[in-house]
Amino acid sequence: MNLEVILNKDQLTRDDLIYLMNLEDKEDLQKLYDKAYEVKAEYIGQKVYYRGLIEFSNVCVKNCNYCGIRKDNNKVDRFTMTEEEILDRAKWAYENNYGSIVLQSGERSDKEFVEFVDNIIKKIKELSNDELGITLSLGEQSKETYQRWYDLGAHRYLLRIESSNQELYNSLHPDDHDFKRRLECLAEMKEIGYQVGTGVMIGFPGQTIEDLVDDLIFFKENDIDMVGMGPYVLHEDTPTAKDVEDNGVLKTRNLNWGLKMVAILRLLMKDINIAATTALQALNPVGREMALKAGANILMPIITHRKYRTEYQLYENKPCIDEEASDCKNCLAARVGTVGDEIVYGEWGDSPHYFKRT
Ligand code: SAM
Ligand code: SF4
């Protein structure tokens, strides 16, 4: 196989994707990243869009085997921000000209929670004169709930498939999960009209390069609008941690795999939104900038108040937990500057792909 030929192909085959995922030579990798950046520049522009991330509650009814805030981790102090605190953060995002926000939390689907979110969406729309875009990342909900949140003004939803391989999915999740329901949720969001985002964890124990390539093909076959995928990072108080043989080796490999996945996905789906996720930064201080250079175009700066950040630790070494949103803003702007991208303020930064498919 010839790298130059593959990088210039219109249609990549599964074998091409496997070949690219197996690249290790530094010069070859640079060629891959450069090509992905070129594609991003052509289809999206040398631009980065912000989504201010509000991690408003770590209360979760689920027990995902890898996640630090899983229900059974009793070392976590549980919190839910008040409505006022959440609105204060949304107002901060609006006043600082972030085009949109993401509301994220542990999973709950009880009536009280659904109504709490109803109110927040409504009030954020009011305080921003309908200008702030709202993405939700609140796990699996009923179709009715997805519909009411959409009707109230949320327009993007992120729900990772975590792994498109059903067996691996089952190994990551106890009986409180059902792969089929996960797929249905993504289909329901699309039917309702959301811009649909999904993603996977990259490099958890037992996952192979072929599995990851099949994840990329899954995004393409499901015509996904936006992808937020990031390296699996160990959290020691979780069942998955016990399957990690050497955390040092895992970290190096997962950063490497994470960047390759971003670049290859950009070649495969040229006009979608791809996030440079925080987990990359947990593995390397400039991990997110490396992802922007490899084709990502979305950053999700955490804008949750400092006092809550330590209790929303999905994995070890989560960055920025000692900072306030204003610190992150300045630090990020300087970082994006080093990449050569322009930060686009005040716009939703929707996925061009969404408008083509609808
Ligand atoms: N509860 C919602 C859900 O699961 O969709 C939203 C919040 S959840 C914390 C967001 C994402 O965090 C998950 O989709 C998962 O991929 C990621 N995550 C959790 N634990 C992780 C870990 N140890 N390493 C990397 N990512 C992790
Ligand atoms: Fe809960 Fe989401 Fe963590 Fe799973 S990944 S335990 S649903 S917060």
Side-chain angles (χ1 to χ4, degrees):
M1 283 203 187
N2 179 311
L3 178 59
E4 316 290 337
V5 174
I6 294 178
L7 290 180
N8 287 296
K9 269 182 156 184
D10 270 347
Q11 301 286 336
L12 294 166
T13 65
R14 185 171 184 273
D15 284 346
D16 295 335
L17 301 177
I18 292 174
Y19 175 85
L20 293 174
M21 267 309 282
N22 276 304
L23 291 179
E24 286 298 343
D25 177 77
K26 266 198 171 157
E27 272 179 35
D28 286 348
L29 283 173
Q30 198 54 52
K31 282 184 194 160
L32 168 66
Y33 298 148
D34 289 349
K35 182 67 189 179
Y37 190 78
E38 194 185 304
V39 171
K40 160 175 136 177
E42 184 182 342
Y43 284 81
I44 309 268
Q46 286 175 269
K47 294 177 182 167
V48 176
Y49 296 91
Y50 277 0
R51 281 87 177 90
L53 178 59
I54 307 175
E55 297 164 329
F56 70 83
S57 173
N58 64 2
V59 178
C60 187
V61 296
K62 292 255 170 100
N63 252 322
C64 304
N65 289 338
Y66 43 84
C67 178
I69 61 170
R70 65 199 300 275
K71 183 177 92 182
D72 285 355
N73 184 4
N74 52 23
K75 293 191 186 162
V76 175
D77 270 338
R78 303 288 164 176
F79 73 88
T80 300
M81 287 164 62
T82 63
E83 184 181 302
E84 290 68 34
E85 286 172 320
I86 299 170
L87 296 179
D88 169 72
R89 296 295 70 211
K91 193 156 170 274
W92 184 92
Y94 181 55
E95 287 171 351
N96 282 273
N97 226 2
Y98 283 22
S100 37
I101 55 161
V102 180
L103 294 173
Q104 188 181 83
S105 76
E107 190 172 305
R108 276 178 62 186
S109 49
D110 53 282
K111 191 165 174 277
E112 189 194 343
F113 179 78
V114 171
E115 288 175 0
F116 181 70
V117 176
D118 285 355
N119 256 322
I120 290 167
I121 298 173
K122 244 187 278 173
K123 291 191 174 154
I124 292 176
K125 282 283 156 193
E126 277 164 25
L127 73 83
S128 70
N129 302 314
D130 242 4
E131 286 175 22
L132 210 48
I134 302 180
T135 304
L136 301 178
S137 171
L138 305 173
E140 292 180 21
Q141 303 291 340
S142 68
K143 186 173 183 193
E144 192 215 348
T145 300
Y146 288 139
Q147 183 73 57
R148 62 196 271 172
W149 288 343
Y150 182 81
D151 292 342
L152 286 167
H155 64 118
R156 297 192 277 241
Y157 206 106
L158 281 173
L159 180 71
R160 287 184 177 179
I161 189 74
E162 314 295 0
S163 172
S164 62
N165 174 326
Q166 184 164 0
E167 244 173 70
L168 286 180
Y169 182 89
N170 290 341
S171 78
L172 288 175
H173 300 106
D175 291 346
D176 59 10
H177 279 72
D178 173 11
F179 186 72
K180 211 170 122 246
R181 176 65 202 139
R182 199 78 163 183
L183 293 175
E184 278 168 10
C185 285
L186 292 172
E188 287 170 4
M189 288 167 200
K190 190 181 268 187
E191 208 183 307
I192 290 170
Y194 281 102
Q195 292 177 45
V196 180
T198 190
V200 292
M201 274 192 317
I202 299 166
F204 55 82
Q207 190 186 37
T208 64
I209 279 188
E210 284 74 16
D211 294 321
L212 289 167
V213 162
D214 290 335
D215 291 337
L216 294 173
I217 294 170
F218 172 89
F219 301 147
K220 175 99 175 157
E221 285 180 351
N222 284 276
D223 214 6
I224 290 299
D225 302 309
M226 46 193 203
V227 171
M229 56 184 173
Y232 161 72
V233 185
L234 178 144
H235 188 297
E236 63 176 12
D237 303 318
T238 60
T240 305
K242 294 168 195 66
D243 298 329
V244 174
E245 282 169 23
D246 183 330
N247 196 24
V249 171
L250 179 105
K251 283 181 186 174
T252 311
R253 187 201 65 179
N254 285 2
L255 175 69
N256 183 356
W257 280 7
L259 294 172
K260 282 195 266 192
M261 284 287 280
V262 166
I264 300 169
L265 179 61
R266 179 55 75 203
L267 302 183
L268 193 65
M269 299 186 78
K270 298 180 166 56
D271 58 356
I272 63 167
N273 279 344
I274 304 177
T277 53
T278 314
L280 289 162
Q281 198 188 350
L283 297 184
N284 185 306
V286 290
R288 285 185 303 182
E289 292 78 346
M290 292 160 97
L292 293 178
K293 273 299 217 190
N297 67 317
I298 302 291
L299 276 177
M300 294 163 58
I302 301 169
I303 61 171
T304 317
H305 275 307
R306 179 168 37 192
K307 68 173 172 175
Y308 293 121
R309 292 188 188 195
T310 42
E311 295 305 333
Y312 201 90
Q313 291 219 55
L314 313 176
Y315 42 75
E316 66 176 19
N317 202 23
K318 186 178 170 190
C320 306
I321 55 174
D322 293 330
E323 288 166 28
E324 281 299 349
S326 48
D327 305 331
C328 287
K329 188 187 177 200
N330 299 334
C331 153
L332 257 191
R335 283 157 170 270
V336 175
T338 64
V339 175
D341 283 348
E342 172 205 354
I343 302 166
V344 183
Y345 286 105
E347 286 182 26
W348 283 11
D350 287 329
S351 149
H353 185 78
Y354 171 79
F355 297 105
K356 280 191 207 147
R357 77 164 173 85
T358 49

